[in-house]
Amino acid sequence: MNGGAAELLLGGVVLLGASVQWLTGMGFALVAVPALVMLLGPAPGVALANCAAGAICAVGLTGGGWRRVRLSAMVPLVAASACTVPAGTWVAAHLPEPVLLAVMGGLVTVAVLLVMGGPRVPALSGVKGALTAGAAGGFMNSSAGVGGPPVSLYAVNAGWTVREFVPNAQFYGIVVNAFSIAANGVPRLDAGVWGFAVAGMVVGAAIGKALAERVPEKGARLLVLLLALGGGLTTLVKGVWAL
């Protein structure tokens, strides 16, 4: 990626993703990944999303959030994700870029539609459900940078409240992104790109915290999902058009 305008745009994308993550407890990857992939390319875009999402989740658990993590539920989720992260990395490395863009866009689009529908799926209940969700999340996170939706669906089927979901989703985000970074590596980006990305995370966190007290949760969540749906469809169309 060349040029100050492109770096500024990348910083804006990260800022938007960080804002919605702090505002709703979810959404950084769904909102940011399609744009990061189109700005940087599939591999570095996903890798940067892994780094940023992991960092945001880690900061989000400070101040007592760790104490609300359900380790008994998290163990099968993160164990299953550890098994499928390498498969996601392998698939992403061996697909032609247009096909990979189409797959990423399709995954984001389907994931958003499923989360919006919030379906009750018996297969996502209990330990088997945690293993299924964790495995799907690990594969999607390392291949497309969006590992959260399967965990969201698991939480819906487990009957978790938002207060229960957020710290556990953040814990899962830390672990699955650590696995993904280990598999994909840290993206080789210019110092200026890293600077804009970090600045975007910091400013986005401040904006998200400020808006959280003023914006109704349901409205904010719907906005996040609509932004993510638009990004997913755009990436899907770009990939299909380039085939």
Side-chain angles (χ1 to χ4, degrees), residues 38-128:
M38 286 190 282
L39 284 170
L40 299 174
V46 167
L48 178 58
N50 292 155
C51 294
I56 291 171
C57 287
V59 174
L61 274 184
T62 58
W66 293 97
R67 291 192 290 271
R68 299 199 302 273
V69 174
R70 294 185 176 186
L71 287 177
S72 59
M74 288 295 103
V75 167
L77 281 164
V78 299
S81 70
C83 297
T84 55
V85 161
T89 299
W90 187 90
V91 168
H94 288 79
L95 287 179
E97 184 169 316
V99 175
L100 187 55
L101 285 173
V103 169
M104 287 179 172
L107 284 174
V108 172
T109 301
V110 171
V112 172
L113 292 174
L114 286 173
V115 172
M116 291 177 77
R120 295 279 179 171
V121 183
L124 288 177
S125 300
V127 176
K128 289 184 178 180

Side-chain angles (χ1 to χ4, degrees), residues 101-170:
L101 285 173
V103 169
M104 287 179 172
L107 284 174
V108 172
T109 301
V110 171
V112 172
L113 292 174
L114 286 173
V115 172
M116 291 177 77
R120 295 279 179 171
V121 183
L124 288 177
S125 300
V127 176
K128 289 184 178 180
L131 291 171
T132 300
F139 179 86
M140 291 174 61
N141 201 72
S142 59
S143 62
V146 285
V151 180
S152 297
L153 294 176
Y154 169 77
V156 168
N157 284 272
W160 288 5
T161 64
V162 174
R163 180 177 173 80
E164 291 172 314
F165 170 72
V166 170
N168 287 283
Q170 289 172 334

Side-chain angles (χ1 to χ4, degrees), residues 53 72 91 99 186 213 218 220 233:
S72 59
V91 168
V99 175
V186 176
E213 302 175 359
K218 288 186 177 179
L233 288 171

Side-chain angles (χ1 to χ4, degrees), residues 153-224:
L153 294 176
Y154 169 77
V156 168
N157 284 272
W160 288 5
T161 64
V162 174
R163 180 177 173 80
E164 291 172 314
F165 170 72
V166 170
N168 287 283
Q170 289 172 334
F171 177 82
Y172 179 81
I174 293 169
V175 178
V176 76
N177 281 298
F179 289 153
S180 298
I181 293 167
N184 293 330
V186 176
R188 296 181 179 180
L189 304 173
D190 294 340
V193 175
W194 279 112
F196 275 100
V198 172
M201 284 192 286
V202 173
V203 177
I207 293 174
K209 286 182 178 180
L211 291 177
E213 302 175 359
R214 299 174 176 83
V215 180
E217 182 181 316
K218 288 186 177 179
R221 182 179 175 87
L222 178 60
L223 176 61
V224 170

